[in-house]
């Protein structure tokens, strides 16, 4: 468990969360987690987000862990961020770690299956890296990203949309496009940022 030095203002905002705000944010977080698991073609029966690997329903476990991480002071909560947006950011990081830990610990329930797919593991590790990068970029990497895409107006617009709503549907609505286009923009952005970081 990482600890960060929260400001008094951050602690006050955490203490001021009403039950209604918490419920609304957890509902939105739960929908986001469920949609990401399904959209990325993870299984709730086997793999990193299975009941066996998670010790319960993946959506419930992740939502509870994200809320606890925020309330226990493991993450900075910037004043201009909604509670649900903050929890989604934490979920990206946690879900990335869940996948990495799952494969590092030997994918317990898959070791006996004959249809284990090595390509799937590689893809899932890529998704884990992407989620973790998005979580870090949200707070630390916008400047790097903006510099990397300075000559790409469509990617600058993507970053602006992402700063307001970090769900694919929300970004698509802001950009007046579809989720498929958002995913293509995201891939292009990730490649340009990777080049910028490698310089």
């Amino acid at each position: 468990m990482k600890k960060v030095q929260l400001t008094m203002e951050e602690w006050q905002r955490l203490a001021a969360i009403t039950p209604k705000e918490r419920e609304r944010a957890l509902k939105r977080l739960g929908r986001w987690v469920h949609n990401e698991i399904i959209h990325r073609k993870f299984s709730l029966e086997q793999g990193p987000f299975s009941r066996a690997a998670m010790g319960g329903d993946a959506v419930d476990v992740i939502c509870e862990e994200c809320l606890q991480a925020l309330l226990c002071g493991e993450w900075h909560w910037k004043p201009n961020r909604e509670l649900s947006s903050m929890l989604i950011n934490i979920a990206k990081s946690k879900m990335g770690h869940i996948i990495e830990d799952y494969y590092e610990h030997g994918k317990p329930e898959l070791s006996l299956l004959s249809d284990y797919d090595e390509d799937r593991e590689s893809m899932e590790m890529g998704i884990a890296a992407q989620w973790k990068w998005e979580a870090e970029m949200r707070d630390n990497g916008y400047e790097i990203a903006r510099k990397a895409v300075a000559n790409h107006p469509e990617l600058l617009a993507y970053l602006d949309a992402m700063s307001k709503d970090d769900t694919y549907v929300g970004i698509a609505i802001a950009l007046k496009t579809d989720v498929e286009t958002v995913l293509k923009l995201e891939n292009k952005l990730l490649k340009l940022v990777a080049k910028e970081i490698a310089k």
Side-chain angles (χ1 to χ4, degrees):
M1 175 173 85
K2 68 177 182 178
K3 277 282 187 184
V4 296
Q5 191 67 40
L6 296 186
T7 64
M8 182 58 72
E9 188 272 337
E10 285 176 300
W11 282 118
Q12 287 171 341
R13 249 182 316 125
L14 288 171
I17 296 170
T18 66
K20 190 174 180 180
E21 284 176 300
R22 182 184 300 196
E23 184 183 339
R24 189 168 51 238
L26 283 173
K27 228 180 238 186
R28 183 171 176 217
L29 172 64
R31 281 195 307 270
W32 183 88
V33 170
H34 183 264
N35 288 341
E36 276 296 290
I37 289 172
I38 301 306
H39 171 74
R40 303 290 189 156
K41 298 185 174 36
F42 286 98
S43 169
L44 294 172
E45 305 303 317
Q46 61 184 32
F49 298 111
S50 66
R51 186 170 286 279
M54 295 292 300
D57 177 76
V59 176
D60 292 342
V61 171
I62 292 166
C63 288
E64 182 61 32
E65 286 183 2
C66 291
L67 181 62
Q68 289 307 314
L70 183 63
L71 295 177
C72 292
E74 294 176 35
W75 288 77
H76 283 293
W77 183 13
K78 294 190 177 176
N80 59 344
R81 300 215 23 211
E82 290 183 20
L83 177 60
S84 58
S85 176
M86 187 64 225
L87 291 173
I88 287 170
N89 199 54
I90 295 170
K92 288 178 179 180
S93 178
K94 285 203 169 288
M95 290 167 76
H97 284 294
I98 287 167
I99 295 168
E100 290 175 345
D101 291 348
Y102 175 79
Y103 285 108
E104 282 171 17
H105 294 120
K107 50 204 173 306
E109 86 282 7
L110 285 185
S111 59
L112 301 176
L113 298 177
S114 58
D115 62 348
Y116 171 66
D117 185 352
E118 200 171 300
D119 290 336
R120 181 69 195 172
E121 177 179 347
S122 175
M123 188 189 79
E124 289 180 357
M125 290 298 281
I127 293 168
Q130 179 184 340
W131 277 333
K132 286 172 61 183
W133 178 83
E134 285 176 10
E136 288 173 26
M137 189 191 95
R138 179 73 194 219
D139 289 330
N140 306 322
Y142 274 116
E143 281 157 55
I144 294 170
R146 290 192 89 73
K147 184 178 175 189
V149 302
N151 297 323
H152 301 272
E154 76 281 8
L155 295 178
L156 288 170
Y158 171 89
L159 284 173
D160 290 339
M162 186 179 167
S163 72
K164 295 180 181 89
D165 186 339
D166 54 9
T167 65
Y168 291 122
V169 172
I171 295 168
I173 290 168
L175 295 178
K176 296 180 174 60
T177 189
D178 53 41
V179 171
E180 188 177 332
T181 302
V182 168
L183 291 170
K184 287 177 185 171
L185 288 171
E186 178 183 68
N187 285 336
K188 189 174 178 183
L189 174 79
L190 290 170
K191 286 176 187 169
L192 289 170
V193 169
K195 281 183 190 173
E196 182 68 29
I197 291 169
K199 284 182 182 176

